[in-house]
Amino acid sequence: MYSEELFKISKENMPGGVSSPVRAYKPYPFFAKQASGSKITDIDGKTYIDHCLGYGPLILGHANPKIVEAITDQAQKGTLYGVPTENEIKLSQEIINRVPCADMVRFCNSGTEATMSAIRLARGYTGRDKIVKFEGTYHGAHDYVLVKSGSGAATHPDSKGIPESTTQNTLSVPFNDEEALKELIEEEGNNIACIIMEVVMGNVGCIKPKKGYLDFIRKLTIDYGIILIFDEVITGFRLSSGGAQEYFGVTPDICTFAKILGGGLPIGAIAGKQKIMELFAPNGPVYQAGTFSGNPLSIRAGITALEQLDKSFYDTLNKKGNLLRLRLKDNIEDLGLNLQVNGIGSMFQIYFNPEPVTNYTEAKKSDSDLFTDYFHELLKNGVFIAPSQFECCFLSGAHSDEDLEKTSYAIEKSLKTIYQK
Ligand SMILES: *Cc1c(COP(=O)(O)O)cnc(C)c1O
């Protein structure tokens, strides 16, 4: 059967035909058959260069041979024990070695769980209820943070089913705006448990922090006894071996990981300073638990992924990212267009917007309809990216120079087509 037919059936079995909303683009999404390295193949027989990469986790590309070997071996030894394993020590130690804020690690199963637990931990530690997030950041699909979030929620505003009483303690401010944050903290600072942030916003496209902004936030949080949480679910093990905190040289109190950490399998983790982390049950009074937490397959895949992600890996990958962005800018200029090429390291996105994009409000002014045309043209030209202006595109170590040439050519060709319409 073809994707079109399968999607009809799929919609009868599953709401919207998908297991996560962003996957349901119109008229129907392609159904995956298999994937390898930088490429994904659909059941209709078409192969694409993949810059969606599972929305970020696949920094080593699809079906990385060493990870396949490791999880095959692990599957034969059991996939769930319900008791601790030595491999959990190994992976936590690797995180502690790499990540500046990490004295201790708690494993869980997703980024959503990680940020939910990190916020609970900050509230437990400080005894305060209020939390601060930034407009357009996404911290997963749980109730505390589904307020002015990015990703799916940026295009489908405000979820039903969340009582106002749940989010009344969730305060939002614009990103990259020191004044707005300062004003809020001067007023509410002593009631605020934590500031949770994506260091680089990756769920409204891709937006970097302005120079000095992170230092400003770090100082402010110290002054008011506020826990600073870096949600590194995208940037962790992507920007550098110690994540965005190492890349920018600013150390939070707690951080969260997921995506890349599982080597392509489901995982989440909270890492942070010992005096805070020790508050998690069973040592402390902050409850956090999970049947599959630290599950042997994900842990094994994570260890095998991190083994391959050394400094030289990031040097090479980030250079490729720089080169691609430069090429895209050149091509866009040659076409006489005025679009924004945002990005950092191996992250990039083109905004259909004539003005620079440095926060959520500016991102939302982009032309999403034009983006959708661009997305479909790219598919025709053999490149798959996330089907939303408000997601980020990624590179993996499996993308060859030839892949990137093809990608930039496909982007140029697609832009030409949509602007001729
Ligand atoms: C994807 C994402 C999450 C949620 O992770 P899931 O594993 O999808 O639950 C949280 N924070 C950020 C920054 C993310 O990009």
Side-chain angles (χ1 to χ4, degrees), residues 229-248:
I229 304 174
F230 281 179
D231 179 357
E232 295 229 38
V233 168
I234 288 182
T235 54
F237 313 108
R238 170 149 310 268
L239 288 188
S240 79
S241 85
Q245 54 194 280
E246 182 191 51
Y247 190 96
F248 291 105

Side-chain angles (χ1 to χ4, degrees), residues 23-136:
R23 296 176 198 170
Y25 62 82
K26 283 184 174 126
Y28 57 87
F30 72 74
F31 276 56
K33 182 178 177 204
Q34 61 187 57
S36 173
S38 62
K39 311 266 179 18
I40 184 165
T41 302
D42 67 18
I43 60 159
D44 309 303
K46 197 155 181 210
T47 295
Y48 309 88
I49 298 174
D50 189 0
H51 290 290
C52 179
L53 291 169
Y55 292 84
L58 302 171
I59 196 166
L60 289 158
H62 292 276
N64 175 261
K66 287 183 179 148
I67 295 177
V68 171
E69 193 187 356
I71 59 181
T72 306
D73 176 62
Q74 184 58 48
Q76 282 159 353
K77 294 175 176 162
T79 59
L80 182 64
Y81 302 126
V83 296
T85 59
E86 203 174 338
N87 277 340
E88 289 164 78
I89 304 179
K90 205 169 164 189
L91 185 56
S92 61
Q93 189 59 52
E94 189 58 32
I95 296 169
I96 291 163
N97 292 347
R98 286 166 178 251
V99 177
C101 84
D103 297 336
M104 301 183 95
V105 179
R106 168 61 60 90
F107 291 112
C108 56
N109 303 290
S110 69
T112 297
E113 246 184 79
T115 66
M116 184 177 76
S117 304
I119 290 169
R120 186 180 297 158
L121 186 62
R123 285 173 159 161
Y125 182 81
T126 56
R128 302 170 179 175
D129 288 341
K130 291 195 158 76
I131 65 171
V132 174
K133 73 182 285 295
F134 295 89
E135 290 172 13

Side-chain angles (χ1 to χ4, degrees), residues 134 193-197 214 217-219 221 226-230 250-255:
F134 295 89
C194 64
I195 294 180
I196 183 165
M197 66 188 297
L214 298 173
I217 295 175
R218 180 66 279 193
K219 181 168 184 313
T221 48
I226 296 167
I227 301 293
L228 180 58
I229 304 174
F230 281 179
V250 176
T251 306
D253 301 298
I254 310 175
C255 68

Side-chain angles (χ1 to χ4, degrees), residues 345-358:
S346 53
M347 302 165 67
F348 68 100
Q349 181 59 297
I350 294 175
Y351 286 101
F352 289 82
N353 191 326
E355 303 291 333
V357 174
T358 66

Side-chain angles (χ1 to χ4, degrees), residues 25 30 38-40 46-52 348 374-386 393-394 399 403-412 414:
Y25 62 82
F30 72 74
S38 62
K39 311 266 179 18
I40 184 165
K46 197 155 181 210
T47 295
Y48 309 88
I49 298 174
D50 189 0
H51 290 290
C52 179
F348 68 100
Y374 162 72
F375 165 76
H376 284 286
E377 280 308 314
L378 272 183
L379 280 184
K380 281 186 207 156
N381 290 316
V383 171
F384 176 51
I385 62 171
C393 308
F394 298 101
H399 286 78
D403 286 331
L404 299 186
E405 261 167 48
K406 283 185 180 160
T407 293
S408 66
Y409 178 68
I411 289 176
E412 188 184 5
S414 302

